[in-house]
Each structure stands twice: as structure tokens, then as C-alpha cells.
């Protein structure tokens, strides 16, 4: 399947009118054909306007129809075959197995939202019975959630499939009945075009209005800002850098009608090793940590960029095992030149920072990332804010604390995080119990005796966390909870049965769970 | 019970250090004793810091303990006896019966949140079973909602009890486990102090840390801005004007850690009379509309400030009956001088606007509000944005449309609303069905054959709506759904049973509904 380098607006391929760029092959270190054409302001406006016009038609489809649509998107992605995997490999430098796994995750995610739609309780349907004899009489009240409107989705660089064109943001917005205007990541525009074609074909096969989905191509900040400013756009999903996310938050807040931004941005994912676990399993934890840190060349949002431990038995074993495993891990190609260059600078800054010592550092060629582990004291970490910043890639800082009280102080000084991990033995439970409230306030997911990389797509997952981990700590961007970001409640008072949405009719034609006078029932 | 005029911080009465003011009796048109002392920056800081320190203790109480606390607040409010009603009457000009009713609503609201805590499904508990044999293995994942942190609540002028010190924002924040720093409305500071004492007494009786609640007194914008800027504050509840709400939204968005603002601001609550209903019941609808418009001197957020109808049979009957009823409604004292003065100006501007004609206008003395009804054409309404602005009080604008297509055009031009009401006969159902999608996009509550004033406190209520009705159309400030504003999800991965929150333990000690592998169960 040849790649056209075009945007897709209203279901039709269209050449961007604002210049062109090419994708980069980070392994071959060369540009890839063909050129991609950047959309201009009029094209952005048209994509958003069509999304606005498609919204009422799309959201008035039945839940089963939208479920079938999501399943069809998954089928169409699989139908792209190996061409998708090969293009993604060329554009990202990621290995085949990883990309095949990510394709499975992407399709599984679409099907999970399809299941959620069929189950039905995502609508949070509620009914309060009329009490005509009461003074004053109580009316008949019914409540459910509907989509917020068209969503602008900004694809991530580090998951060219699962957090990209048909990734979690798109899947959850579609499930909610919201059209999506997608800004492709300029690092993998060919992969994006292929997946976008699959989505467009699913839109066509399911008889949906073509405005339900658009693919915008381009580089730089202008497209994103125009997109977030557009009056038809009602919410934003973003995965990327802290500077990019906060810039979009500012644009959204400055609109005459402000809109919510769900930006997943920055996290150093503290791994906290409590004393008994360190003493008993220091070397094992070091090995597991190194594997988590180097997985995918450290290019995960949940990469463990910070380790906290109390000085004592096991610390040397941890450092030795971690350092040995890190040095043994080969340097590897990073996703793109920008990431590799940022990583090189971040590691060099830590290496020359007089507050840290270097425990391990793997030399690497241009465009690659080699693992690095640094060590500092709690005092230095508390005093030097630059040590709190994310270095995206396989680098981490070990902060050695004098005692548990000082470790607590370090945790209190941390910003919001996607995850926090505790390595604990039963003898550490009291110390862990005392830390949990601090961690709950700072992280979306708390792990015990594991490592933070690996984010399950399921009902109970939270991939979110207080700012700056995300723009909005009340949300998750992975798992079925992600749909809540794109929903708002509407109440109907005394509306005749004939005019009520199916989910709220007396006879419960969808057979879903509903809350009647406060109590859950399927009646 | 004598009123001290003091703030309450850390459970202790404390004289504000930044000047003083007095409450105004709008009926007697004179100041009320005593003086109230305005808090300064250091006092605001201390209240917020104490709230931050109290948060972990407060949120770690059991749900039953917080339920008992909410019930105790209600008891303590009732224990204030008639002193509360008398002071509220003096400060607001509202009649005894209304205030006694509002006290009942306030206590009922606190008890409803207590019930919600005992029922338990507000926590949205979720569990995904570990699948150790899968490749890769799935960990054990558990999810629930926790409080976001201390909440700054800004009390409303128009509900001195139900949307004030212990009103819906405070009750829902407490239920979520969030301490509250309350900015009292300067129009009813004595009422606020009395209710604050009841809250403080309940805090003491329940053995909670005194930082759980603080009362700040003062006038002007400085206190509110300092409050929203304070790093300990994690969310804002506000009921008031559009200018006040948007100013706080801007402050919250400009923080180094942005926080959510739930501001309920501005709505003109369109009443849409479809042709058959108008022809059959024009006069009855006119009478009902007039009663809704003049209730409480029109000082409700859900007051019907806009009527849309198609020219045709019944329109004269509607105008005649509405005009007659409005002219017969006596002018009455408004809540405070600011509101009365804004109302006088708003009505005068409409009366002299060359795009409208005056159908009814009741003369009134200073400090009072008399009903007013104006008429304009759809063309004029679409062209003149000043006709869309809320005039807080018993004034409304009738927009006469040529046909249903033009009525639809008018609806499409409306901003976000708290409510939209349809007056329909069965023969109007097709027209109503075509309008519903537009109304769902613009309003939080859609009523049929009723009037928007009167907001039930229940499970299925939505008192919210797209901007500018509220800051955040994904929320409601009335009903049990209001608790969701102050919650965020946390996921626990492979956490030992001994460290899990009660709501997520295997044996379900709370006996609550939980979502296990996606399906609801009490197992």
C-alpha cells in the first residue's frame, strides 16, 4: 500500500497546503519517502467544522453500533498487514516484536471499549421516581452521560500505535460518541496515515458521517494551537512533553469557552526500596530495576527515573547488580533525533552535575541511548530541583536517604507522578502503611514489588496522576476509565417515554445496570 | 447566640486583621450589628495550611465516620434554632418560610451525602484479577476514588444556607474526604458565622482535626484570589457571577500547579413553547411561567430569563396571561443592594433597547425587584448579543420566531445553560425530538411541561451545564453526582491485602458494589 503523504479530511485524502516534511529512519539515519504535506489553517478549520457537524449523528448511534465500529477499526488495522509493521519499524527504530505486540494492544483496546459499550454501565444511568404526593411534588428525573463533543487528539511519539491514531484517546473518544480530529506525530507520519486509512475505511463500512475522523499532518506548534482554539473542539487528549502539554493547557484556558485538556506529560516514577526488602533482595531488585529501566530504550512514560533507598544492608548489592545489568544492556536506537539529542544532553548534565556521582553509564553513538544510573544524597536531591526533572530515556537517579524520616521528606518534595513503586517485605509493612497516604496524593498508580513499566489495559488501571504527570489528576488515559474524560451528565425532568434515550426508558431495553432512587438495579 | 464578627481558623474564633464591614438589612435598609473583621493574607495562609495538614487524617476516616460527621453537622444546624432563621431573614430579606425550607434542604442534603457514603458505590471500586499464567502475566489491579485535597468554597448570595457555608459544595467535599476553606458571602456574614459554628462543633464532636473546616470573612476579590492561589488548595467550588467565576478560573489556570474550578455562573434557562402546546395551553403556560419567574423575586440560577415561541395561535393568550400575572405580582425586596441595582439597570437597558418592546413592567422602590417581560423578534435576538445576557431577577425576554426552523436557529445561537424547558403536546413530539440533540449540547437539565425553578436534591439531578452556565460542563453542583468533582482515581498493583484500603480488600468488608473484571458484584 503506497503512502500518499496527505491529510484525510471528510473521508478524503487531501494534500496539505502549508509546506512539506519527511519522516526520518532513526536506524538507517536517513529520510524516508514520500514527503508529507502540512495542513494549513483552512484545512484545520474544515476538519473541525466537519467533526462538529458529525457529532450529533455519531452520538445518536446506538452503543452497539459504536461497538461494531470500534471492532471494525481493529479489523481494518489488522488488515493493513505487515506493511504497517514495516513502516512503523522504519519510522521508529522499534523492533518487530514490540510493534506486533503494540498492534495487538491497540486492537485489544478498541475491543475493550466495544465491550464496555455493550455492557452499558459506563452511561451511569440514574432514575429518581416521581413523588407527586410529596410537598413540593418530586418530578421524574433521569440522568445519563453523553459525549462532550469533538475531541482533538495529539498522538504520542513513543507508542506509534497504542497512543497514536487509533490509540487509547481515540478509542475512548469514539466510545463516548465524540468525533476525533487527530494531529499525527511528525516522527511517524506514514504509520499514522496507514492507521488513519483503516479508521476511515471503518467509518465508511459502518455508514458513519466522514466528519467522525480526520487526520492532520504537520510539524511545529501552529497546527496544535489552531486545533485547540477551534470552537468546535470540546476536549483535548495529548501525550507528550511537559512543555507541549502546558502550552496546550494555556491555549485551552484562554478560549472564550475554556475546554478540558487531558495531557499526559511528565513523570519520574519513584521506585522506593524499603529497608527489609533492600537487605533481603537488594541484588534481585537491582536486576529487575535495570530491566525495567532499559526496556524499550527507556522510552516509556512509566520508566523508573528515580530510586529512593535508605543507606544500609543491601544497598551495595542493589547498586552492584543494577550497575552490572545496565552496563550489559546494549545501547540502542532511540525513537527520533529530538529524543536522542535530549537524552544525550540530560545524561551529560547529570554526569557533570557536582551533586551526583555516576554509577553506570553506557557509551552510545548518535541517535542511540545507553543506560545511565546516577547517585546522590537526599540533601542534594532536596536542594537541587534539576534532579527532579524527567530525562526521557534509560537514565535514573538513586537518592540515598539517611533514614525513613528523610525518605519521607524526599517523597513530600516530589511532584505528581504516574506511578510510585514500593519494594517491601512483610517487615516493611508498617513503614509502607505510613508512606501510602503520601504516595496516594502524588501518584495515579501504586505498585508493590514490581516495576512500573507495563501498563495493563483494563477496568482498574489508572494511567494518570496529579500535575505535572498529567494536566488533570482526576483522569486516566488507559483502561476503561478513560472514557469518563469525554463525557458529561444530562438530566431529563418529566420527559415523555417516547422522547427519552433508550438507556433511560422504563422498560430498560438495553438491559443495563441503572441507579434507581439511589440503588443499582437491572430492573 | 451572639455573633462575634470573627473568622474561624483551626477551630478557633479569630478577629480578621484587615479592616471591617457590616451586613446590610435590605428590608429595613440599614446596617446590622456587629462589625465583621476581614482576614488578611497570613490568616488565609494559615487556614489553607491547616486544611492541607488535616487532609490525610480526614480522608483516612471510614466512610461511616464521615457519614456520622455529616449527620452531626445537620443536627448542629438545627440546634441553632430560630436565631439562624432570624439572622438570615435580616441579612437577605427572604421570608421565614423560604428560609425554613432552605434549612430543611440544607440538612437533607448533608444527610443524603451521609447515605451515599454508607451505600459505598460512589468509590467506584474496581478489581482486575491477576492472571499469572498469561503472557505477559497480568498483575492484580484495584482501583478506587479518593479526595483531591482541600477545597476552597465560595458561598452564594442567593441561597444563604443551601449554597453557602454548609451547602452542597461543602457537603460533597466533606463526603469526598476533603477539608473545606470557606469564603463567606459578605451579604450574609452573620448567617455564615452561625452555620460555621455548627460545622466547627460537629468537627469537635466527631474528633476530627480542626483544620477540616475554616470560615474566612471579608469583602472584595483579594481573599478569593489568595485562596485559589494557595498551594494547599486542590479544587474550587463557586456559585456566583460570570465575572467572578471566570476571574477565579483564570487564577486557577495560572497556578504553577493548575487546579479545577467548579463555578456555577450564568444561565438564562430558555423556555421553549412548541406550537401545539402554545395553541392548546398558551394562557396556562403564561401563568405558570409568571409564577416561576417571580418566585423568590427571580433570584434563582434557574430563573426562566428567555422564552422562545413560534408566532401563531396561543401566543396572544400566553402574553396576556403572563403579563397579567406579572403585573399582579408585587415588587419585593431583593437580596442586597448590588443585586437590586444590577437588576434596575438591566431592566432599564431592556426597556430602552429599541430592539424590544415592553409587555409588562412592575414599578418598584429602591432595593426591590418588580417583574418585567420584554418581547423581541428572532432576527433582533440573533443580531443583538446583549439580549442573551442574564438579568438576575424577575425579568425575561420573549423571542418570537417565524417558524420552527428559525426557532432552531435561535437555539443554535445560545450559550451553555443550566436548564432548557420544552412545553410540548404529543403533537409536538417530532419537533421536540429534533430539538433535543441541540438542547443536550447546551444544557445540563432538560424539562418537559414544567418550569426550571425548583432543583431537586437527588441522585439523578444535574445542576450544571456547558460554559458559561458553569466552568466545567462535566459536573453537577446539586445531587449526589456533585461528589465526583472532588475525587480522583488511584490504582493499586499487587498491593498486599494488609495494605489495601477496606473498600478493595478481597472479603469486601464494607459490603459495597464493586466492579470485578469489568462486572458489577457485591461478592
Amino acid at each position: 500500500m503506497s503512502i500518499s503523504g496527505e491529510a484525510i479530511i471528510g473521508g478524503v485524502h487531501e494534500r496539505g497546503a502549508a509546506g512539506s516534511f519527511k519522516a526520518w529512519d532513526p536506524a538507517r539515519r536517513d529520510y524516508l519517502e514520500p514527503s508529507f504535506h502540512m495542513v494549513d489553517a483552512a484545512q484545520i478549520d474544515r476538519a473541525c467544522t466537519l467533526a462538529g457537524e458529525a457529532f450529533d449523528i455519531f452520538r445518536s448511534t446506538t452503543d452497539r453500533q459504536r461497538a461494531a465500529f470500534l471492532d471494525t477499526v481493529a479489523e481494518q488495522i489488522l488488515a493493513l498487514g505487515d506493511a504497517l509493521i514495516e513502516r512503523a519499524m522504519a519510522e521508529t527504530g522499534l523492533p518487530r516484536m514490540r510493534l506486533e505486540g503494540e498492534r495487538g494492544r491497540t486492537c485489544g483496546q478498541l475491543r475493550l471499549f466495544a465491550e464496555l459499550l455493550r455492557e452499558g454501565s459506563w452511561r451511569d444511568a440514574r432514575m429518581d421516581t416521581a413523588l407527586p404526593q410529596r410537598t413540593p411534588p418530586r418530578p421524574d428525573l433521569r440522568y445519563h452521560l453523553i459525549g462532550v463533543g469533538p475531541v482533538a487528539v495529539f498522538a504520542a511519539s513513543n507508542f506509534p500505535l497504542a497512543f497514536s491514531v487509533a490509540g487509547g484517546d481515540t478509542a475512548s473518544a469514539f466510545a463516548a460518541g465524540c468525533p476525533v480530529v487527530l494531529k499525527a506525530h511528525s516522527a511517524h507520519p506514514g504509520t499514522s496515515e496507514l492507521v488513519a486509512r483503516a479508521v476511515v475505511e471503518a467509518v465508511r463500512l459502518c455508514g458513519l458521517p466522514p466528519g467522525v475522523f480526520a487526520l492532520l499532518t504537520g510539524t511545529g506548534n501552529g497546527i496544535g494551537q489552531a486545533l485547540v482554539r477551534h470552537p468546535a473542539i470540546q476536549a483535548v487528549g495529548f501525550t507528550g512533553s511537559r512543555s507541549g502539554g502546558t502550552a496546550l493547557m494555556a491555549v485551552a484556558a484562554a478560549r472564550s469557552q475554556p475546554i478540558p485538556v487531558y495531557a499526559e506529560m511528565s513523570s519520574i516514577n519513584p521506585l522506593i526500596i524499603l529497608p527489609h526488602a533492600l537487605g533481603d533482595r537488594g541484588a534481585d531488585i537491582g536486576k529487575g530495576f535495570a530491566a525495567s529501566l532499559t526496556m524499550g530504550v527507556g522510552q516509556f512514560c512509566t520508566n523508573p527515573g528515580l530510586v529512593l533507598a535508605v543507606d544500609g544492608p543491601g544497598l551495595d548489592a542493589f547498586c552492584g547488580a543494577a550497575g552490572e545489568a545496565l552496563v550489559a544492556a546494549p545501547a540502542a536506537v532511540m525513537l527520533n533525533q529530538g529524543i536522542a539529542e535530549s537524552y544525550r544532553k540530560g545524561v551529560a548534565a547529570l554526569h557533570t552535575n557536582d551533586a551526583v556521582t555516576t554509577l553506570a553509564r553506557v557509551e552510545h553513538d548518535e541517535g542511540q541511548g545507553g543506560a545511565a544510573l546516577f547517585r546522590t544524597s537526599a540533601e542534594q536531591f532536596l536542594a537541587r530541583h534539576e534532579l527532579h526533572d524527567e530525562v526521557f530515556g534509560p537514565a535514573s537517579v538513586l537518592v540515598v536517604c539517611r533514614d525513613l524520616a528523610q525518605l519521607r521528606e524526599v517523597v513530600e518534595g516530589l511532584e505528581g507522578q504516574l506511578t510510585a513503586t514500593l519494594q517491601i517485605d512483610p517487615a516493611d509493612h508498617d513503614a509502607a502503611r505510613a508512606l501510602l497516604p503520601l504516595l496516594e496524593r502524588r501518584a495515579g498508580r501504586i505498585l508493590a514489588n514490581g516495576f512500573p513499566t507495563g501498563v495493563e489495559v483494563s477496568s482498574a488501571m489508572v494511567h494518570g496522576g496529579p500535575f505535572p504527570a498529567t494536566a488533570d489528576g482526576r483522569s486516566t488515559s488507559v483502561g476503561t476509565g478513560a472514557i469518563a474524560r469525554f463525557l458529561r451528565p444530562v438530566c431529563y425532568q418529566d420527559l415523555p417515554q417516547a422522547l427519552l434515550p433508550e438507556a433511560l426508558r422504563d422498560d430498560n431495553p438495553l438491559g443495563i445496570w441503572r441507579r434507581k432512587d439511589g440503588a443499582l438495579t437491572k430492573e
Side-chain angles (χ1 to χ4, degrees), chain A:
Chain A
M1 190 178 304
S2 73
I3 290 167
S4 71
E6 293 168 330
I8 309 181
I9 298 170
V12 178
H13 279 259
E14 186 171 315
R15 178 156 290 209
S20 69
F21 68 101
K22 284 186 178 175
W24 173 257
D25 182 328
R28 279 179 44 241
R29 301 193 60 71
D30 198 1
Y31 288 101
L32 287 160
E33 291 302 326
S35 290
F36 288 84
H37 302 277
M38 312 195 343
V39 291
D40 67 6
Q43 292 174 311
I44 297 167
D45 175 58
R46 200 146 39 77
C48 296
T49 302
L50 287 171
E53 289 167 5
F55 176 45
D56 279 339
I57 302 169
F58 187 41
R59 74 185 179 91
S60 67
T61 54
T62 65
D63 294 350
R64 285 182 182 274
Q65 285 171 321
R66 283 200 315 296
F69 169 55
L70 292 171
D71 285 338
T72 308
V73 173
E75 282 160 25
Q76 291 298 317
I77 289 172
L78 292 176
L80 293 168
D82 209 44
L84 175 66
I85 300 298
E86 279 172 7
R87 180 75 192 190
M89 287 169 68
E91 289 185 333
T92 64
L94 292 171
R96 171 177 290 276
M97 191 181 287
R98 148 71 194 269
L99 288 166
E100 287 178 350
E102 195 182 325
R103 179 175 59 185
R105 177 191 178 97
T106 305
C107 294
Q109 192 162 251
L110 288 157
R111 293 187 179 120
L112 181 67
F113 281 105
E115 262 181 57
L116 185 78
L117 291 179
R118 294 191 184 100
E119 193 271 341
S121 51
W122 66 278
R123 278 230 184 247
D124 195 12
R126 307 182 186 197
M127 306 185 295
D128 294 329
T129 317
L131 301 173
Q133 312 303 332
R134 198 194 64 175
T135 313
R138 181 166 90 172
D140 177 282
L141 294 165
R142 308 194 182 214
Y143 165 119
H144 72 163
L145 300 173
I146 69 170
V148 292
V151 177
V153 173
F154 293 79
S157 65
N158 61 338
F159 279 87
L161 302 173
F163 285 76
S164 194
V165 176
D169 286 348
T170 298
S172 53
F174 280 165
C178 300
V180 167
V181 180
L182 193 125
K183 162 67 174 66
H185 198 284
S186 56
H188 48 75
T191 307
S192 300
E193 183 186 324
L194 291 172
V195 176
R197 287 187 192 189
V199 177
V200 168
E201 181 61 9
V203 168
R204 193 188 67 76
L205 287 170
C206 296
L208 297 172
V212 160
F213 177 79
L215 175 79
L216 303 182
T217 44
T219 60
N221 301 328
I223 296 174
Q225 302 210 347
L227 193 49
V228 174
R229 267 192 211 107
H230 197 282
I233 297 298
Q234 293 299 302
V236 179
F238 169 94
T239 309
S241 70
R242 182 166 178 173
S243 60
T246 52
L248 294 183
M249 289 169 71
V251 171
R255 286 168 50 120
S256 63
Q257 177 228 1
I259 55 172
V261 174
Y262 298 101
E264 194 245 274
M265 299 185 289
S266 168
S267 183
I268 53 174
N269 304 297
L271 172 72
I272 302 168
I273 313 173
L274 291 188
H276 292 279
L278 184 64
D280 291 354
R281 302 185 276 118
D284 283 350
I285 296 169
K287 272 182 231 162
F289 157 73
S292 177
L293 183 68
T294 54
M295 186 187 290
V297 202
Q299 298 166 116
F300 292 121
C301 316
T302 54
N303 204 49
L306 181 70
V307 183
L308 306 181
V310 174
D311 204 359
L315 185 63
D316 290 343
F318 169 82
C319 293
E324 198 177 310
L326 292 175
V327 170
V333 171
M334 296 193 85
L335 286 160
N336 60 57
Q337 296 189 101
I339 286 175
E341 184 56 21
S342 289
Y343 181 68
R344 194 191 57 74
K345 281 187 191 159
V347 168
L350 285 168
H351 185 59
T352 56
N353 190 316
D354 61 9
V356 307
T357 55
T358 300
L359 295 181
R361 185 168 171 234
V362 176
E363 293 294 327
H364 54 265
D365 294 334
E366 206 185 323
Q368 294 193 326
L373 178 61
F374 302 94
R375 175 178 172 153
T376 190
S377 67
E379 286 81 5
Q380 292 286 4
F381 186 77
L382 288 165
R384 303 282 198 104
H385 200 275
E386 76 271 20
L387 300 178
H388 296 235
D389 293 338
E390 182 179 17
V391 175
F392 192 74
S396 192
V397 176
L398 165 67
V399 177
V400 179
C401 305
R402 199 171 43 238
D403 51 25
L404 280 171
Q406 194 178 39
L407 188 148
R408 185 180 175 90
E409 199 186 339
V410 170
V411 171
E412 280 172 346
L414 292 178
E415 295 186 302
Q417 305 290 338
L418 293 172
T419 69
T421 301
L422 289 165
Q423 289 288 342
I424 46 176
D425 277 4
D428 294 309
H429 280 192
D430 286 346
R433 196 173 283 113
L435 279 174
L436 272 171
L438 297 188
L439 300 180
E440 288 173 332
R441 287 172 74 159
R442 281 164 186 80
R445 178 164 57 113
I446 297 167
L447 301 85
N449 296 330
F451 297 96
T453 43
V455 181
E456 185 71 26
V457 182
S458 68
S459 169
M461 175 50 62
V462 176
H463 189 65
F467 184 92
T470 74
D472 188 333
R474 294 162 298 165
S475 65
T476 175
S477 62
V478 174
T480 56
I483 195 173
R485 301 175 299 167
F486 304 124
L487 296 171
R488 47 171 280 262
V490 176
C491 168
Y492 306 87
Q493 179 169 324
D494 290 332
L495 203 67
Q497 287 289 313
L499 295 177
L500 278 172
E502 267 195 315
L504 297 176
R505 291 194 196 140
D506 279 347
D507 56 349
N508 193 10
L510 302 178
I512 61 175
W513 284 102
R514 308 192 290 187
R515 191 168 292 282
K516 194 169 180 187
D517 297 322
L520 281 169
T521 171
K522 279 199 173 185
E523 260 175 36

